Amino acid sequence: MGQSPGDSANIADPFPVESMASSLTSPVLDYKRLDCEPFNQQRFFTHLHTTSSPIVEVPAVPSSTFSVHFFETVASTNAEVWRLLEQGAGEGVVAIAQQQQRGSGQRGRFWQSSPGGLYLSIGLAPNVSTHTTTRLIMSCAWGIATALCQRRIPVGVKWLNDLVLDGQKLGGILIETRVQHGRVHRAVLGCGINWSNPVPDLGIALASWLQTQADPAISSLEELGAIALQSAFAGYCAGKQGDVSGVIAGYESVLVNRGQTVRLPAAQSDGEECSGKILGVNPEGFLRVQPNANGFPDVHLPPGSLQLGYPTPVLPLTFEA
């Protein structure tokens, strides 16, 4: 994932279905990946072929929907997808890299992209209003978090687009768009998830966490990639369908910040010091906060206006997707 140059790009060149293995040869958790070990494409497509959608209303798409390119090192997977979109690739083009040199996250922040993590981008053709962009981010985050929760991995979402596990940052989602006549006609969704790569303070690697579990639900980086791709695309499809209340309810079910007490910006509380409780989000992705002060109406804070920080509240282990 990362910043994109120019106007757009997508990825084609599907992996031959005939060469996909029917099943994994080993269920052993693959947590000690060497920096030089290549991404196992056959294993990835085996999982992609069998991974279901985490969202009941959205069936899993055939693996042939995706045209996937694999890279050892790129500036960013988002930039690769934009480049390919400019060359004529269509929706469903995917770039996966072992490492990125200039990966970026929300508001252009640097995203550490060492070997061992999942760095994936998808080319999309939403044809939706620009007001819907934030909802697409929320729906994709909901899809990925729900898919992992269904595998007994209690991943939640920190507003707006961070994936969190045990209060620490597991990954993030970024969307870049191209607009024509007030509508988003092309977009690239970037997703980065820590697997066995080095992580900064307050970050967490999924492979290490799975080692503490009696029955790890994900065996490899390739399996994680297949799950992330199918579930992000399922979330994207749900976000496009126009069921706003369904997307909001789904997103709020994995939002770890609900119920959290926060300090409101002075501009949002008539210049007075005031705290409030997070209720959820509105259809535009604004954070809904109920001020503790009597007589103050609920406040809607736009993305980027409030830094919630780490560690986050923890999604209950009893979560049921």
Side-chain angles (χ1 to χ4, degrees):
M1 51 190 277
Q3 298 293 346
S4 61
D7 179 44
S8 320
N10 228 319
I11 289 181
D13 183 10
F15 194 88
V17 175
E18 308 84 57
S19 64
M20 294 193 303
S22 59
S23 63
L24 286 178
T25 58
S26 173
V28 177
L29 180 62
D30 178 20
Y31 67 92
K32 290 185 177 178
R33 299 180 63 89
L34 299 176
D35 287 0
C36 58
E37 181 183 352
F39 191 91
N40 189 315
Q41 299 177 24
Q42 181 173 333
R43 181 186 292 175
F44 168 79
F45 277 104
T46 295
H47 285 295
L48 185 63
H49 188 62
T50 57
T51 298
S52 61
S53 167
I55 301 171
V56 174
E57 297 79 9
V58 180
V61 299
S63 57
S64 58
T65 300
F66 304 110
S67 182
V68 185
H69 279 220
F70 300 92
F71 302 89
E72 290 186 7
T73 302
V74 295
S76 80
T77 53
N78 272 26
E80 290 299 325
V81 172
W82 282 120
R83 178 179 61 81
L84 289 162
L85 283 170
E86 290 171 349
Q87 295 174 356
E91 182 168 83
V93 66
V94 178
I96 297 175
Q98 288 193 217
Q99 63 179 336
Q100 299 180 115
Q101 295 175 324
R102 293 196 298 275
S104 62
Q106 194 175 23
R107 293 182 291 280
R109 292 172 179 159
F110 175 74
W111 176 268
Q112 184 174 333
S113 308
S114 304
L118 176 67
Y119 314 114
L120 177 153
S121 295
I122 315 169
L124 306 171
N127 190 27
V128 296
S129 165
T130 54
H131 301 296
T132 309
T133 303
T134 300
R135 195 182 312 148
L136 291 180
I137 295 175
M138 294 192 300
S139 62
C140 292
W142 162 43
I144 294 174
T146 300
L148 294 173
C149 285
Q150 289 172 350
R151 290 164 173 80
R152 305 181 307 281
I153 305 170
V155 171
V157 177
K158 172 178 142 335
W159 182 71
L160 173 72
N161 59 343
D162 281 2
L163 301 170
V164 296
L165 175 63
D166 284 355
Q168 298 171 296
K169 184 165 183 175
L170 176 67
I173 294 171
L174 173 72
I175 193 166
E176 298 170 350
T177 61
R178 295 293 180 267
V179 178
Q180 282 185 352
H181 308 298
R183 299 186 68 80
V184 178
H185 73 111
R186 288 190 289 187
V188 172
L189 175 78
C191 174
I193 301 178
N194 299 323
W195 174 250
S196 62
N197 53 296
V199 297
D201 292 342
L202 298 177
I204 189 170
L206 183 55
S208 298
W209 185 90
L210 287 168
Q211 280 190 279
T212 67
Q213 307 303 300
D215 183 21
I218 298 177
S219 62
S220 66
L221 175 61
E222 292 82 1
E223 183 177 6
L224 175 63
I227 293 168
L229 178 54
Q230 273 283 13
S231 57
F233 199 80
Y236 159 71
C237 291
K240 275 183 57 178
Q241 286 176 355
D243 180 11
V244 178
S245 60
V247 170
I248 297 304
Y251 181 81
E252 289 184 341
S253 73
V254 293
L255 181 64
V256 298
N257 306 110
R258 278 204 306 169
Q260 182 178 351
T261 298
V262 295
R263 176 68 59 182
L264 290 171
Q268 300 290 341
S269 51
D270 292 340
E272 299 180 16
E273 288 281 329
C274 180
S275 62
K277 182 174 71 174
I278 296 175
L279 303 176
V281 294
N282 71 5
E284 288 71 44
F286 287 31
L287 198 66
R288 296 188 297 115
V289 181
Q290 180 182 58
N292 292 331
N294 291 331
F296 278 38
D298 290 354
V299 174
H300 290 191
L301 302 175
S305 62
L306 183 67
Q307 302 302 312
L308 296 177
Y310 284 93
T312 71
V314 176
L315 196 71
L317 285 172
T318 54
F319 173 86
E320 294 183 5

